[in-house]
Amino acid sequence: GSGILAIALAKLGAKEVTAVDIDPIAVKAAGENAARNGLADTIHVVEGDLARDIGGRFDFICANILADIIISLSPAVPLLLAPGGAFLASGIIKDREQDVLGALAGLGFALMARREEGEWVALLFEVKDA
């Protein structure tokens, strides 16, 4: 997942992409796929946890994973977002959407857009007063 998202972002024009995954097999595959797509200089793959192992400021952060993990990672996101940056939370089952919305609203996130497909929801946020 992280590798595919990183490749998509790079192909859409992102000049620098950091892909983060806790699974060493996914990290290896992401690096190989980035190289296979001629994007090894654009995509930096990191094994770790977004909430503990990543520093810096990013214009865009995407988490395509289960609602509980999005909720647990979300306190770290405002510290990693550059001013005016956006956070895309996707891979959320519709039944858990309100849980994610409530948790992120409590952290100062404002919903900018919502997209639904079948039983899945994607939510785009900005941080209020960021």
Side-chain angles (χ1 to χ4, degrees):
S2 300
I4 291 169
L5 292 171
I7 290 167
L9 287 169
K11 290 198 175 255
L12 287 169
K15 294 185 183 357
E16 293 180 49
V17 178
T18 301
V20 183
D21 205 300
I22 61 171
D23 180 353
I25 295 169
V27 169
K28 182 175 187 271
E32 290 169 355
N33 286 329
R36 208 174 283 128
N37 281 274
L39 298 167
D41 292 337
T42 303
I43 298 173
H44 176 66
V45 184
V46 176
E47 181 180 340
D49 183 318
L50 177 71
R52 290 188 307 256
D53 302 320
I54 301 301
R57 302 287 275 188
F58 300 89
D59 295 322
F60 180 75
I61 297 174
C62 176
N64 185 48
I65 199 156
L66 299 172
D68 286 335
I69 298 172
I70 289 170
I71 291 167
S72 71
L73 292 175
S74 60
V77 172
L79 303 173
L80 296 170
L81 272 180
F87 175 45
L88 177 64
S90 63
I92 302 165
I93 295 173
K94 269 198 267 189
D95 291 348
R96 296 298 314 278
E97 178 180 4
Q98 291 305 314
D99 296 334
V100 173
L101 287 169
L104 273 68
L107 294 169
F109 288 89
L111 184 65
M112 296 169 47
R114 177 188 184 278
R115 181 139 188 185
E116 177 182 319
E117 186 172 318
E119 289 299 311
W120 300 99
V121 176
L123 305 168
L124 183 65
F125 297 93
E126 65 182 350
V127 178
K128 295 178 199 170
D129 303 321

